[in-house]
Amino acid sequence: MNIYYKNRSVWHPRAGRFLITLLALVLCAACNLQPDHRDTTHSPDDPVHLSGQAQGTYYSVIYYDSLQRDLQPQIDSLLDAFDLSASLWVDSSLLRRINANLTDTLDDILLTLLTNSLLIEDYTGGAFNCRVGRIVQAWGFSFKQRSEPDGAELAAMLQAAHAPVAVDGRRLTRQNPATELDFNAIAQGYASDLVGLFLESRGIHNYLVDIGGEVVARGAKADGSPWRVGIERPAENRYSEPVVQTTIAVGDQSVVTSGSYRKYYERNGTKYSHTIDPATGRPVTHSLLSATVVEHPCWLADAMATAYMVMGLERGKAFIAAHPDGPGTHAVLFLYDSCGTLASYATPAFEQLIIK
Ligand code: AMP
Ligand code: MG
């Protein structure tokens, strides 16, 4: 979870090769919408604040618009359309139908999520894997009851998670029909990107979009100061109140935190995280509590934060050292050290963002 404030940003050239063009998609989503509604009760310099529910979580959008337009209906429509495509909690979503082998034709959203996921799987050496759908369900972190797979079931699900998928045009083919896709590690970040791009399409270039803690910052606040985003201190448990550990200034970038401290279940004193290690098919058990990544676009920050949660501290540090110019170098990882004390590892690039 991230708690904001935030700042002005610039396109990250190194991330450009990962960006699938989304603008056309957002413009299409906006085509069918009602004309913009204007609020005449505020000064043109006041920020517009919107908030609501989407994807089973909250969202909050702040933007500067001299026309003081209320774009909530359009944003709600965009997020509803997103859920109908990519949500695993909506029974009739296209992704649920694809996973059930009822159709094999992807829409723009799923095509982008799949393409980006496969790129990140390759980049992270398999730590990120969107084909773990069945495994996530079996461990009880999706829309199905936990079944705690035995060895043979796990082996079959691992086989499905590593079987290749291919896309020809929009048509998906699976070598193993049991392979189920799960984009939860990247979807909220991508939805945040789409909301940002929708605002851009309306001529709004100074905004902060937050969908369940996946934050996109663009431009600056009215006084020119950067947006500020608070990074949450990993909580004791899922019921703890959020506490800001570090505050960073961000430019045209996104901030995403993945953590095991709120999304887990406990059995016989062991906490099972919702992050699955694709190598074993089991929830990760290392001591990493959270990983925060600052990147652009937001889906990339989201994907890399999840990948670090799979890698853990030592593998994560080795990965960052081996990819000094790649996505994921602005990161902070929190963990309990061997004495049970909260410790963190921040990359030098991340440290430069911290507001002291
Ligand atoms: P996040 O909160 O962004 O780290 O996403 C976690 C969610 O992504 C989980 O609840 C699963 O649905 C899915 N997931 C779990 N393990 C992986 C993995 N290794 N690669 C990709 N997605 C995963
Ligand atoms: Mg993620």
Side-chain angles (χ1 to χ4, degrees):
M1 179 188 286
N2 300 306
I3 301 157
Y4 46 86
Y5 324 102
K6 89 213 198 182
N7 128 11
R8 80 172 180 225
S9 60
V10 194
W11 170 254
H12 249 224
R14 67 172 195 250
R17 65 199 143 109
F18 286 96
L19 178 66
I20 305 299
T21 304
L22 311 174
L23 190 53
L25 180 60
V26 175
L27 291 173
C28 285
C31 295
N32 301 326
L33 303 171
Q34 301 298 313
D36 300 342
H37 176 260
R38 287 183 196 188
D39 174 355
T40 50
T41 58
H42 289 92
S43 132
D45 292 337
D46 287 342
V48 179
H49 289 251
L50 306 177
S51 59
Q53 296 286 321
Q55 306 187 343
T57 181
Y58 72 91
Y59 77 81
S60 157
V61 181
I62 303 172
Y63 53 88
Y64 291 98
D65 176 24
S66 58
L67 299 173
Q68 288 288 308
R69 285 167 290 184
D70 174 7
L71 298 173
Q72 184 138 30
Q74 292 89 330
I75 290 171
D76 282 342
S77 299
L78 190 156
L79 293 174
D80 285 348
F82 192 93
D83 272 359
L84 283 176
S85 172
S87 174
L88 286 173
W89 282 272
V90 175
D91 295 354
S92 59
S93 74
L94 181 57
L95 184 56
R96 285 283 290 272
R97 283 183 283 130
I98 287 194
N99 281 343
N101 290 306
L102 297 175
T103 175
D104 61 1
T105 308
L106 303 172
D107 66 2
D108 286 345
I109 290 173
L110 295 184
L111 188 59
T112 302
L113 289 171
L114 178 61
T115 309
N116 291 359
S117 294
L118 294 177
L119 281 171
I120 298 302
E121 180 179 339
D122 189 44
Y123 179 60
T124 60
F128 189 96
N129 182 337
C130 68
R131 291 163 292 154
V132 294
R134 285 217 167 175
I135 302 177
V136 174
Q137 290 162 35
W139 289 107
F141 294 108
S142 194
F143 56 95
K144 285 190 180 159
Q145 281 287 94
R146 182 160 77 229
S147 63
E148 303 215 354
D150 63 24
E153 287 164 341
L154 203 55
M157 288 190 289
L158 269 172
Q159 206 284 328
H162 292 280
V165 296
V167 183
D168 181 9
R170 292 178 170 281
R171 180 157 294 178
L172 175 76
T173 50
R174 277 168 277 205
Q175 191 185 74
N176 182 338
T179 300
E180 292 194 26
L181 304 174
D182 179 328
F183 297 120
N184 288 340
I186 190 174
Q188 272 181 11
Y190 183 51
S192 301
D193 285 326
L194 292 180
V195 172
L197 287 169
F198 165 67
L199 295 174
E200 300 279 341
S201 78
R202 294 304 164 102
I204 295 169
H205 305 299
N206 296 288
Y207 56 80
L208 188 64
V209 174
D210 175 0
I211 302 181
E214 332 294 73
V215 176
V216 175
R218 168 86 167 140
K221 292 193 275 188
D223 61 1
S225 65
W227 296 108
R228 296 151 63 98
V229 177
I231 312 296
E232 189 189 2
R233 177 189 175 91
E236 287 284 307
N237 59 54
R238 60 166 65 91
Y239 307 109
S240 308
E241 283 294 309
V243 175
V244 173
Q245 175 79 13
T246 309
T247 301
I248 58 173
V250 285
D252 292 341
Q253 284 173 309
S254 301
V255 186
V256 176
T257 298
S258 278
S260 59
Y261 54 92
R262 288 194 192 278
K263 295 180 180 164
Y264 63 87
Y265 68 88
E266 210 160 350
R267 203 169 55 92
N268 299 334
T270 304
K271 280 187 176 175
Y272 291 85
S273 153
H274 71 142
T275 309
I276 302 297
D277 183 346
T280 63
R282 295 181 181 279
V284 295
T285 52
H286 53 62
S287 56
L288 207 57
L289 296 166
S290 74
T292 298
V293 175
V294 183
E295 262 304 342
H296 181 77
C298 195
W299 68 261
L300 186 55
D302 200 354
M304 289 309 301
T306 302
Y308 288 138
M309 286 309 296
V310 175
M311 292 181 201
L313 180 67
E314 293 312 324
R315 215 174 123 202
K317 280 165 75 171
F319 179 89
I320 291 164
H323 299 83
D325 300 317
T329 49
H330 292 70
V332 60
L333 312 177
F334 284 100
L335 69 156
Y336 287 130
D337 66 15
S338 50
C339 305
T341 309
L342 185 67
S344 66
Y345 165 74
T347 64
F350 181 89
E351 273 179 350
Q352 288 181 2
L353 304 174
I354 295 174
I355 298 172
K356 305 250 167 65

